[in-house]
Amino acid sequence: MTSTAVLVGCAGWSLPRAAQDAFGAGDSHLARYATRFPVTEINSSFHRPHQRSLYEKWAASVPQEFRFSAKLPRTITHERRLVGCDALLDEFLAQASGLGAKLACLLVQLPPSFAFDAGVVEPFLRLLRDRFAQGIALEPRHVSWFEASPDALLRSWQVARVLADPVRHEAAGAPGGWPQRVYLRLHGSPRVYYSSYEPAILQSLAMRLRQASADGAESWCIFDNTASGAAAGNALELQRLLEQGG
């Protein structure tokens, strides 16, 4: 972990040709990625299961201090909508536990139609917390989540509410939930997954992350504008700004 507790990385570890010279040597893209970034977000787990042996291979490819965030499968979040998913969750965690201590966070992304319902959400968070004691970041997208009651429930379970860009609702313009973890997901704006972020936006982001660090929060900042290869360059530039204090 970094001394400032600001952890910058990308969704996945693809290295676009334009940025490859910024990375050290390694026998895989992940090994090379880990020479510059301390964290990555595994999104592929949302779409399909992976063998435990693959997670073990990934863990063996990176330094001891490297950390992963893994996205819960869509079968749990979008198909079962957090209900009756005990077996699915156990199966996923049995696979992802191949990362060992390097699995530092789970990402729960909900569909835009998923309105807040404490009767559904709290039993699921209890289920998840019974099985996983590390970081949890939840990304809701329905407007009903950005109010005091949902925020209080997330805090009570030490779950961070993700700040995702582009912002869908005015109240979603700041992270929420448990204040000791800030989790940002930057998808690219105005064109989602493609647009690169302008220098002025990265400067502002660096200031925000430094303030979160000063407030004692561990911050994850994940660039997901990977379709055009912009994520790695944006993450490297943000990392530079944080290191240089500018």
PDB file of all heavy atoms in Angstrom, residues 24-38:
ATOM      1  N   GLY A  24       7.758  -1.493 -16.145  1.00  0.00           N
ATOM      2  CA  GLY A  24       8.947  -2.315 -16.040  1.00  0.00           C
ATOM      3  C   GLY A  24       8.784  -3.657 -16.722  1.00  0.00           C
ATOM      4  O   GLY A  24       7.750  -3.962 -17.329  1.00  0.00           O
ATOM      5  N   ALA A  25       9.820  -4.486 -16.604  1.00  0.00           N
ATOM      6  CA  ALA A  25       9.820  -5.793 -17.239  1.00  0.00           C
ATOM      7  C   ALA A  25       8.954  -6.768 -16.459  1.00  0.00           C
ATOM      8  O   ALA A  25       8.723  -6.610 -15.256  1.00  0.00           O
ATOM      9  CB  ALA A  25      11.247  -6.319 -17.331  1.00  0.00           C
ATOM     10  N   GLY A  26       8.470  -7.792 -17.149  1.00  0.00           N
ATOM     11  CA  GLY A  26       7.669  -8.837 -16.517  1.00  0.00           C
ATOM     12  C   GLY A  26       7.297  -9.875 -17.538  1.00  0.00           C
ATOM     13  O   GLY A  26       7.340  -9.611 -18.745  1.00  0.00           O
ATOM     14  N   ASP A  27       6.908 -11.055 -17.062  1.00  0.00           N
ATOM     15  CA  ASP A  27       6.599 -12.136 -18.002  1.00  0.00           C
ATOM     16  C   ASP A  27       5.123 -12.190 -18.381  1.00  0.00           C
ATOM     17  O   ASP A  27       4.671 -13.139 -19.020  1.00  0.00           O
ATOM     18  CB  ASP A  27       7.051 -13.479 -17.434  1.00  0.00           C
ATOM     19  CG  ASP A  27       6.419 -13.804 -16.088  1.00  0.00           C
ATOM     20  OD1 ASP A  27       5.539 -13.028 -15.658  1.00  0.00           O
ATOM     21  OD2 ASP A  27       6.805 -14.818 -15.493  1.00  0.00           O
ATOM     22  N   SER A  28       4.348 -11.162 -17.980  1.00  0.00           N
ATOM     23  CA  SER A  28       2.941 -11.058 -18.369  1.00  0.00           C
ATOM     24  C   SER A  28       2.537  -9.595 -18.300  1.00  0.00           C
ATOM     25  O   SER A  28       3.230  -8.775 -17.691  1.00  0.00           O
ATOM     26  CB  SER A  28       2.044 -11.889 -17.448  1.00  0.00           C
ATOM     27  OG  SER A  28       2.026 -11.335 -16.144  1.00  0.00           O
ATOM     28  N   HIS A  29       1.396  -9.267 -18.919  1.00  0.00           N
ATOM     29  CA  HIS A  29       0.890  -7.897 -18.823  1.00  0.00           C
ATOM     30  C   HIS A  29       0.635  -7.518 -17.370  1.00  0.00           C
ATOM     31  O   HIS A  29       0.922  -6.391 -16.953  1.00  0.00           O
ATOM     32  CB  HIS A  29      -0.394  -7.738 -19.641  1.00  0.00           C
ATOM     33  CG  HIS A  29      -0.164  -7.450 -21.086  1.00  0.00           C
ATOM     34  ND1 HIS A  29       0.223  -6.219 -21.540  1.00  0.00           N
ATOM     35  CD2 HIS A  29      -0.260  -8.243 -22.191  1.00  0.00           C
ATOM     36  CE1 HIS A  29       0.351  -6.248 -22.867  1.00  0.00           C
ATOM     37  NE2 HIS A  29       0.071  -7.473 -23.271  1.00  0.00           N
ATOM     38  N   LEU A  30       0.095  -8.463 -16.586  1.00  0.00           N
ATOM     39  CA  LEU A  30      -0.184  -8.164 -15.182  1.00  0.00           C
ATOM     40  C   LEU A  30       1.105  -7.895 -14.414  1.00  0.00           C
ATOM     41  O   LEU A  30       1.175  -6.947 -13.616  1.00  0.00           O
ATOM     42  CB  LEU A  30      -0.955  -9.317 -14.544  1.00  0.00           C
ATOM     43  CG  LEU A  30      -1.231  -9.197 -13.040  1.00  0.00           C
ATOM     44  CD1 LEU A  30      -1.955  -7.896 -12.712  1.00  0.00           C
ATOM     45  CD2 LEU A  30      -2.032 -10.405 -12.555  1.00  0.00           C
ATOM     46  N   ALA A  31       2.127  -8.706 -14.641  1.00  0.00           N
ATOM     47  CA  ALA A  31       3.401  -8.502 -13.948  1.00  0.00           C
ATOM     48  C   ALA A  31       3.996  -7.148 -14.296  1.00  0.00           C
ATOM     49  O   ALA A  31       4.532  -6.442 -13.423  1.00  0.00           O
ATOM     50  CB  ALA A  31       4.373  -9.623 -14.290  1.00  0.00           C
ATOM     51  N   ARG A  32       3.885  -6.740 -15.567  1.00  0.00           N
ATOM     52  CA  ARG A  32       4.406  -5.436 -15.976  1.00  0.00           C
ATOM     53  C   ARG A  32       3.551  -4.309 -15.398  1.00  0.00           C
ATOM     54  O   ARG A  32       4.075  -3.306 -14.916  1.00  0.00           O
ATOM     55  CB  ARG A  32       4.441  -5.337 -17.504  1.00  0.00           C
ATOM     56  CG  ARG A  32       5.431  -6.272 -18.176  1.00  0.00           C
ATOM     57  CD  ARG A  32       5.636  -5.883 -19.624  1.00  0.00           C
ATOM     58  NE  ARG A  32       6.253  -4.573 -19.711  1.00  0.00           N
ATOM     59  CZ  ARG A  32       6.204  -3.803 -20.807  1.00  0.00           C
ATOM     60  NH1 ARG A  32       5.548  -4.189 -21.884  1.00  0.00           N
ATOM     61  NH2 ARG A  32       6.788  -2.610 -20.802  1.00  0.00           N
ATOM     62  N   TYR A  33       2.231  -4.480 -15.442  1.00  0.00           N
ATOM     63  CA  TYR A  33       1.303  -3.499 -14.871  1.00  0.00           C
ATOM     64  C   TYR A  33       1.658  -3.233 -13.403  1.00  0.00           C
ATOM     65  O   TYR A  33       1.662  -2.084 -12.939  1.00  0.00           O
ATOM     66  CB  TYR A  33      -0.109  -4.042 -15.015  1.00  0.00           C
ATOM     67  CG  TYR A  33      -1.194  -3.281 -14.291  1.00  0.00           C
ATOM     68  CD1 TYR A  33      -1.987  -2.355 -14.959  1.00  0.00           C
ATOM     69  CD2 TYR A  33      -1.462  -3.517 -12.938  1.00  0.00           C
ATOM     70  CE1 TYR A  33      -3.000  -1.669 -14.297  1.00  0.00           C
ATOM     71  CE2 TYR A  33      -2.464  -2.836 -12.275  1.00  0.00           C
ATOM     72  CZ  TYR A  33      -3.231  -1.911 -12.953  1.00  0.00           C
ATOM     73  OH  TYR A  33      -4.234  -1.225 -12.293  1.00  0.00           O
ATOM     74  N   ALA A  34       1.959  -4.294 -12.669  1.00  0.00           N
ATOM     75  CA  ALA A  34       2.209  -4.179 -11.236  1.00  0.00           C
ATOM     76  C   ALA A  34       3.540  -3.514 -10.917  1.00  0.00           C
ATOM     77  O   ALA A  34       3.801  -3.223  -9.739  1.00  0.00           O
ATOM     78  CB  ALA A  34       2.151  -5.565 -10.593  1.00  0.00           C
ATOM     79  N   THR A  35       4.372  -3.227 -11.926  1.00  0.00           N
ATOM     80  CA  THR A  35       5.590  -2.466 -11.658  1.00  0.00           C
ATOM     81  C   THR A  35       5.293  -0.988 -11.452  1.00  0.00           C
ATOM     82  O   THR A  35       6.154  -0.248 -10.954  1.00  0.00           O
ATOM     83  CB  THR A  35       6.617  -2.620 -12.800  1.00  0.00           C
ATOM     84  OG1 THR A  35       6.096  -2.032 -14.010  1.00  0.00           O
ATOM     85  CG2 THR A  35       6.979  -4.074 -13.028  1.00  0.00           C
ATOM     86  N   ARG A  36       4.087  -0.539 -11.833  1.00  0.00           N
ATOM     87  CA  ARG A  36       3.733   0.879 -11.683  1.00  0.00           C
ATOM     88  C   ARG A  36       2.515   1.115 -10.799  1.00  0.00           C
ATOM     89  O   ARG A  36       2.424   2.136 -10.129  1.00  0.00           O
ATOM     90  CB  ARG A  36       3.482   1.510 -13.063  1.00  0.00           C
ATOM     91  CG  ARG A  36       4.722   1.691 -13.906  1.00  0.00           C
ATOM     92  CD  ARG A  36       5.757   2.615 -13.248  1.00  0.00           C
ATOM     93  NE  ARG A  36       5.223   3.912 -12.896  1.00  0.00           N
ATOM     94  CZ  ARG A  36       5.261   4.987 -13.698  1.00  0.00           C
ATOM     95  NH1 ARG A  36       5.798   4.886 -14.899  1.00  0.00           N
ATOM     96  NH2 ARG A  36       4.771   6.134 -13.293  1.00  0.00           N
ATOM     97  N   PHE A  37       1.565   0.199 -10.816  1.00  0.00           N
ATOM     98  CA  PHE A  37       0.320   0.410 -10.082  1.00  0.00           C
ATOM     99  C   PHE A  37       0.198  -0.575  -8.922  1.00  0.00           C
ATOM    100  O   PHE A  37       0.587  -1.740  -9.050  1.00  0.00           O
ATOM    101  CB  PHE A  37      -0.887   0.268 -11.001  1.00  0.00           C
ATOM    102  CG  PHE A  37      -0.952   1.298 -12.098  1.00  0.00           C
ATOM    103  CD1 PHE A  37      -1.109   0.918 -13.422  1.00  0.00           C
ATOM    104  CD2 PHE A  37      -0.860   2.650 -11.815  1.00  0.00           C
ATOM    105  CE1 PHE A  37      -1.175   1.856 -14.442  1.00  0.00           C
ATOM    106  CE2 PHE A  37      -0.921   3.604 -12.823  1.00  0.00           C
ATOM    107  CZ  PHE A  37      -1.078   3.213 -14.142  1.00  0.00           C
ATOM    108  N   PRO A  38      -0.376  -0.121  -7.795  1.00  0.00           N
ATOM    109  CA  PRO A  38      -0.500  -0.989  -6.623  1.00  0.00           C
ATOM    110  C   PRO A  38      -1.795  -1.781  -6.551  1.00  0.00           C
ATOM    111  O   PRO A  38      -1.951  -2.643  -5.695  1.00  0.00           O
ATOM    112  CB  PRO A  38      -0.417   0.002  -5.462  1.00  0.00           C
ATOM    113  CG  PRO A  38      -1.086   1.239  -6.008  1.00  0.00           C
ATOM    114  CD  PRO A  38      -0.711   1.281  -7.471  1.00  0.00           C
TER     115      PRO A  38
END
